[in-house]
Amino acid sequence: MRQDRILLAHGSGGTMMRELIEQVFVAEFADDILSRLDDAASLEVPPGRLAFSTDTYVVNPVFFPGGDIGRLAVCGTVNDVATAGARPLYLSVGFVLEEGFAMDDLERILVSMRDAAAEAGVRIVTGDTKVVEKGHGDGIFINTAGVGVIREGVDLSGANARHGDKVLLSGTLGDHGIAVVSTREGLQFSTDIRSDAAPLSALVHAVLDASPDTRCFRDPTRGGLASTLNEIAGASGVSITVEETAVPVHEQVRGASEMLGYDVFQVANEGKMVAVVPAEQAEAALAAMRGAPYGEDAAIIGEVAEEPAGRVYVHTSFGARRIMDMLVGEQLPRIC
Amino acid sequence: MRQDRILLAHGSGGTMMRELIEQVFVAEFADDILSRLDDAASLEVPPGRLAFSTDTYVVNPVFFPGGDIGRLAVCGTVNDVATAGARPLYLSVGFVLEEGFAMDDLERILVSMRDAAAEAGVRIVTGDTKVVEKGHGDGIFINTAGVGVIREGVDLSGANARHGDKVLLSGTLGDHGIAVVSTREGLQFSTDIRSDAAPLSALVHAVLDASPDTRCFRDPTRGGLASTLNEIAGASGVSITVEETAVPVHEQVRGASEMLGYDVFQVANEGKMVAVVPAEQAEAALAAMRGAPYGEDAAIIGEVAEEPAGRVYVHTSFGARRIMDMLVGEQLPRIC
């Protein structure tokens, strides 16, 4: 018998859990490895090094313009795996459901995960469901872990950036963070601000085709571009300078960030990729990004210098230079 | 500066999250892949099929006799990967921390994870940390996903059990479930009831060495032995009969189960393995189990027959036969 809401019994290991798994999860995801319901999935993988990554998604609210927690949970992990130069192949999914969560919402989230997985070319092959008592969770938390096979010949690391390299960004900054916070706070900046949540593995591989000596990829999620570039500058022992006017930002997102007092460089993105490439391959990499799905607004936004090691600067539209700091405390909790 | 408690800022993607990761997680786990802090770990794996599994752990309380949520999170996923006949190699870890969670408790849990991983021979290579506001989580939830390489030549599936096969259990039933519920409810049955949380990959491979035609392994966690055997009986289209007197159960656990009104066959275990093996390899498999870590109390507890398909019976100590049902609703929420 179908229940309208999640009950504790759906996490008990008994027949109600079995029914939830078979009639909801397995039915929506429709994968023949998953549907074996073995304790572990048995996978065929091509030879090569593996990329392995995980993220738990606790975004609040779970539905927002441009996506939901399900799309985020698939795209976020797909993108992390892709940053290693890998083709994401398989995902695991772990749910923590709060007693009372609406079954319709769960199903809507599963459809969204299925569609995002199909778009990204990954299979959801193994999973787990836990239920916590009302008041001890928050609707739904989703963990995904992803496995992919790393393309031969690539050597990507945040420690690889070198003097003269160019920094590419695949599109506009801040869309996800502002879309989520606007929904959460009931702010009506614009109906045009939508999360950018998207799978970027095709874009990563297009860039690698065009720029085989790419130094690294990073997706600027929590902490935004500022965290990503500071991490690369620190790991590589270089400085990075970003041209503010070169960074694509939607007008509405820029306006909302200013009004809310956020630095758009620190706002989370869920469908953007940063690539550091050698200068002589930068134009080819840019063209590849622009030709790839979700890359039409890509731009070369900055470059790498030797000194001072670990520093990131913004060359502002007024001609000044300021430090692009990492966020210290919290800015937007539960953004992903 | 070290904080005594988790703050929202520890999940923000900024410098405080960075410090938590570097000074706590990376310091405790001390793995050179993890410490690169790339978005995805890059792994060398031997050729072969991969086993991939995930579980999220929400056990309440997080510390209990015989273990804690950290040991559970490592052992549980290691055991799921091992059921595929794989050698678990790598784990991912995803934390959902509630604002205000004590840093000392987190560190104690990390030490426990590190020790369990060392014992199991797996490496924690990639991770993620989210923080939710006070009242929107419950201290700590931990997801782990595990990857292992499946031993060549094994063909394990819950659908493989055949008429005449023997069912082996690696030790006493119910220890974990009763230890956790006793702690949670403040019951003092006995100081001897301790969780059995343990990594069983060495035991699985010892059985495979002795019984190369093993049909399947399952670890009887949530839902207990009853869920495990009913799943095997259903998937294989066979019946299974368990000899009640052959099933090892600690006296204190039996007493506590009776007092609480639990069927010990439905109580969760976290360090036990069920194996179905061909009759002619059963004695060798049993000897191997008994010689392996955590297998000293192993027993042959039942056998497989053709009819009626999907049914599990207990042949009781009084000579009667009853159905071993799966749990329907919830019995012990938050047991793992």
Side-chain angles (χ1 to χ4, degrees):
Chain A
M1 203 191 76
R2 186 182 186 281
Q3 309 286 333
D4 289 339
R5 299 201 166 264
I6 290 294
L7 307 176
L8 280 177
H10 284 122
S12 68
T15 54
M16 284 188 58
M17 185 171 104
R18 190 79 185 178
E19 284 166 19
L20 176 70
I21 290 172
E22 289 179 351
Q23 293 165 20
V24 180
F25 295 112
V26 171
E28 293 295 355
F29 291 151
D31 186 283
D32 58 6
I33 298 178
L34 181 71
S35 60
R36 292 178 62 165
L37 294 179
D38 282 328
D39 288 346
S42 166
L43 309 176
E44 299 291 341
V45 286
R49 280 182 305 150
L50 283 188
F52 184 32
S53 188
T54 192
D55 262 325
T56 308
Y57 299 85
V58 300
V59 65
N60 172 26
V62 295
F63 299 104
F64 44 80
D68 59 39
I69 192 172
R71 181 167 175 84
L72 211 57
V74 170
C75 296
T77 295
V78 159
N79 293 346
D80 281 343
V81 170
T83 60
R87 239 169 246 292
L89 296 174
Y90 301 107
L91 292 184
S92 66
V93 182
F95 297 96
V96 178
L97 304 174
E98 185 188 10
E99 184 185 14
F101 191 66
M103 198 67 81
D104 286 347
D105 287 345
L106 177 60
E107 291 185 344
R108 191 174 150 199
I109 289 163
L110 298 180
V111 168
S112 175
M113 295 186 80
R114 181 196 64 198
D115 292 348
E119 185 188 348
V122 291
R123 294 173 62 177
I124 295 169
V125 292
T126 190
D128 175 58
T129 307
K130 292 294 190 308
V131 180
V132 296
E133 311 90 330
K134 199 159 180 63
H136 293 260
D138 200 359
I140 182 169
F141 301 149
I142 306 178
N143 175 283
T144 50
V147 169
V149 173
I150 298 175
R151 189 175 163 124
E152 248 185 275
V154 300
D155 173 29
L156 298 167
S157 165
N160 287 352
R162 293 289 169 268
H163 177 71
D165 288 349
K166 300 292 184 186
V167 179
L168 276 69
L169 173 65
S170 66
T172 54
L173 276 194
D175 303 345
H176 176 75
I178 298 298
V180 170
V181 78
S182 303
T183 311
R184 183 157 71 203
E185 307 298 340
L187 306 173
Q188 305 271 325
F189 294 116
S190 160
T191 52
D192 295 343
I193 302 181
R194 296 169 64 78
S195 167
D196 57 349
L200 300 175
S201 36
L203 182 143
V204 161
H205 288 280
V207 171
L208 285 171
D209 289 342
S211 172
D213 299 316
T214 296
R215 313 299 193 192
C216 70
F217 294 99
R218 288 279 167 122
D219 56 332
T221 56
R222 272 182 297 175
L225 184 70
S227 278
T228 294
L229 295 185
N230 274 284
E231 284 173 18
I232 294 171
S236 295
V238 297
S239 85
I240 297 175
T241 298
V242 168
E243 286 297 325
E244 188 168 37
T245 55
V247 178
V249 182
H250 280 134
E251 261 327 298
Q252 298 92 332
V253 169
R254 189 186 301 280
S257 295
E258 282 172 8
M259 198 148 64
L260 293 164
Y262 298 146
D263 179 346
V264 75
F265 293 131
Q266 296 180 338
V267 176
N269 312 278
E270 290 290 342
K272 294 298 163 351
M273 195 58 74
V274 168
V276 180
V277 302
E280 67 277 13
Q281 296 177 6
E283 286 300 331
L286 179 65
M289 247 188 201
R290 287 186 172 161
Y294 304 107
E296 62 271 20
D297 298 324
I300 297 175
I301 61 163
E303 65 177 23
V304 177
E306 273 174 32
E307 296 285 342
R311 282 281 187 199
V312 180
Y313 296 100
V314 189
H315 189 223
T316 73
S317 47
F318 305 108
R321 194 176 81 153
R322 67 173 177 90
I323 289 174
M324 188 191 289
D325 265 331
M326 276 177 84
L327 195 60
V328 178
E330 97 259 15
Q331 183 199 59
L332 295 171
R334 312 274 304 271
I335 207 67
C336 60
Chain B
M1 204 190 76
R2 187 181 185 282
Q3 308 286 332
D4 289 339
R5 299 201 166 266
I6 290 293
L7 307 176
L8 280 178
H10 285 121
S12 68
T15 54
M16 284 188 58
M17 184 171 103
R18 190 78 185 181
E19 284 166 19
L20 176 70
I21 290 172
E22 289 179 351
Q23 294 166 19
V24 181
F25 294 112
V26 171
E28 293 295 355
F29 291 151
D31 186 282
D32 59 6
I33 298 178
L34 181 71
S35 60
R36 292 179 61 166
L37 294 179
D38 282 328
D39 287 345
S42 166
L43 309 176
E44 300 291 341
V45 285
R49 280 181 305 149
L50 284 188
F52 185 31
S53 189
T54 192
D55 262 326
T56 308
Y57 299 84
V58 300
V59 65
N60 171 25
V62 295
F63 299 104
F64 43 81
D68 60 37
I69 192 172
R71 181 167 175 85
L72 211 57
V74 169
C75 297
T77 295
V78 159
N79 292 347
D80 281 342
V81 170
T83 60
R87 239 169 246 289
L89 296 174
Y90 300 108
L91 292 185
S92 66
V93 182
F95 296 96
V96 178
L97 304 175
E98 186 188 9
E99 183 184 15
F101 191 67
M103 198 67 80
D104 285 348
D105 286 346
L106 177 60
E107 290 184 346
R108 191 173 150 200
I109 290 165
L110 297 181
V111 168
S112 176
M113 295 186 80
R114 180 195 65 197
D115 292 349
E119 185 188 349
V122 291
R123 294 173 62 179
I124 295 170
V125 291
T126 189
D128 174 58
T129 308
K130 292 295 190 309
V131 180
V132 296
E133 310 89 330
K134 198 158 181 64
H136 294 260
D138 200 359
I140 182 169
F141 301 148
I142 305 178
N143 175 283
T144 50
V147 168
V149 172
I150 299 175
R151 190 175 162 124
E152 248 184 275
V154 301
D155 173 30
L156 299 166
S157 164
N160 287 353
R162 294 288 169 268
H163 177 71
D165 288 350
K166 299 292 184 187
V167 179
L168 277 68
L169 173 65
S170 65
T172 54
L173 274 194
D175 303 345
H176 175 76
I178 298 298
V180 170
V181 79
S182 303
T183 311
R184 184 157 71 203
E185 307 297 340
L187 306 173
Q188 306 270 325
F189 292 117
S190 159
T191 53
D192 295 343
I193 302 182
R194 297 170 63 79
S195 168
D196 57 349
L200 301 175
S201 37
L203 182 142
V204 161
H205 288 280
V207 171
L208 284 171
D209 289 342
S211 172
D213 299 316
T214 297
R215 313 300 193 193
C216 69
F217 293 99
R218 289 279 166 123
D219 55 333
T221 56
R222 272 182 295 176
L225 184 71
S227 278
T228 293
L229 295 185
N230 274 284
E231 285 173 17
I232 295 171
S236 295
V238 297
S239 84
I240 297 175
T241 298
V242 169
E243 286 297 324
E244 188 168 36
T245 54
V247 178
V249 183
H250 281 134
E251 261 327 299
Q252 297 92 330
V253 169
R254 189 186 303 280
S257 295
E258 280 171 10
M259 199 150 60
L260 292 163
Y262 298 145
D263 179 346
V264 75
F265 293 130
Q266 295 179 339
V267 177
N269 312 278
E270 291 290 342
K272 294 298 161 355
M273 194 59 72
V274 169
V276 180
V277 302
E280 67 277 14
Q281 297 177 5
E283 286 300 331
L286 179 64
M289 247 187 201
R290 286 185 173 162
Y294 306 107
E296 62 270 22
D297 297 323
I300 296 174
I301 62 164
E303 64 177 24
V304 177
E306 273 173 31
E307 296 285 342
R311 282 281 186 198
V312 181
Y313 296 100
V314 189
H315 188 226
T316 74
S317 47
F318 305 107
R321 193 176 81 153
R322 67 173 177 91
I323 289 174
M324 188 191 289
D325 265 330
M326 276 177 84
L327 195 61
V328 177
E330 97 260 16
Q331 183 200 57
L332 295 171
R334 313 271 306 269
I335 207 67
C336 61

